[in-house]
Amino acid sequence: MPAVAKLAPQETVFFLCDVQTRFKNAIFGFDELVLTINKMLKIAKVLEIPVVVTEQNPKGLGNTTPNIDLPSLGPLLIANIEKGLFSMMTPEVKALLHERPQIKSVVLFGIESHVCVLQSALDLIEAGYNVHVIADGVSSCNKEEVPFALARIRQSGGYITTSESAAFQLQRALFIANYGEACSDSSVPGDAGVSGFKLFSNIIKEEKDNTVRTSQKLLQYRAVL
C-alpha cells in the first residue's frame, strides 16, 4: 500500500454499511449520521462515484432507513445487498469489485463502527484496497466504542478522514484529471474551472449547517488514538 493514498473519483467506490430502520433509537447520533450519509450521496452524484449498500439481516432489522436518499442515485447504486456476515465483503461484493479492477479506494461509512465497519475495513485492507473511513459518517450504540474502532483501522493501514475533507480530495483529483497538475495552483484559481465544480460548491454551501451539526455531535469524542 502506498504511503499516500489519494482519492480519485474514477478509482473510488462508496460503501454504505447497514444504516437500517431498527437502529434509529439505538445508535448514537443516528440523525446526524444520516445527514452525513446524504451529503456523501450528493457528492457521489456530482462526481459520478458508484455506491454499494448492505443491509444486515433486513427481515429482523429493517431496510436502509428511508431518510437516506438511495433512489436519487439511479444507476450509481450498483448494489444493495442483504448480508448475514458482519463484514461487507460478502461474495457478491467481492464479485462486484473483481469486475471493476479500476477501483483502488473504498470510502466507508455506516454502522456499527466497532463491528461491521471495522470488519469491513480490515477485510478491504487485507484485499489490497485503500480504505478511507468517514469519521463523521460512522457510529455505534455506545459512542465510547468509536475512537477505538477508528484507531484499530488506522493501525491496520486505513485512513481516517471527514466527509468534507474526502469530498474536496475527490474534487481536486477530478480537477487534476481534467487540467493536469501544472494547472492546479495559480493558473486556474481555486480549482473553480472544473466542469461541475459549481454543483459541488453548492452542495458544500447547502450542507454547511449540517456539517457543523454533525461535526459537533459525531466528532467530539473521536480523536484518533
Side-chain angles (χ1 to χ4, degrees), residues 9-10 46-47 167-180 183-185 187-202:
Q10 69 275 16
V46 169
L47 301 182
F168 274 98
Q169 288 178 62
L170 288 160
Q171 175 61 29
R172 180 175 184 270
L174 181 62
F175 173 85
I176 291 172
N178 279 278
Y179 294 96
C183 297
S184 63
D185 296 316
S187 55
V188 182
D191 288 8
V194 180
S195 175
F197 181 80
K198 186 174 182 180
L199 291 173
F200 174 85
S201 179
N202 286 341

Side-chain angles (χ1 to χ4, degrees), residues 153-166:
I153 292 167
R154 189 178 70 168
Q155 290 162 359
S156 300
Y159 301 88
I160 311 303
T161 187
T162 64
S163 57
E164 189 152 317
S165 179

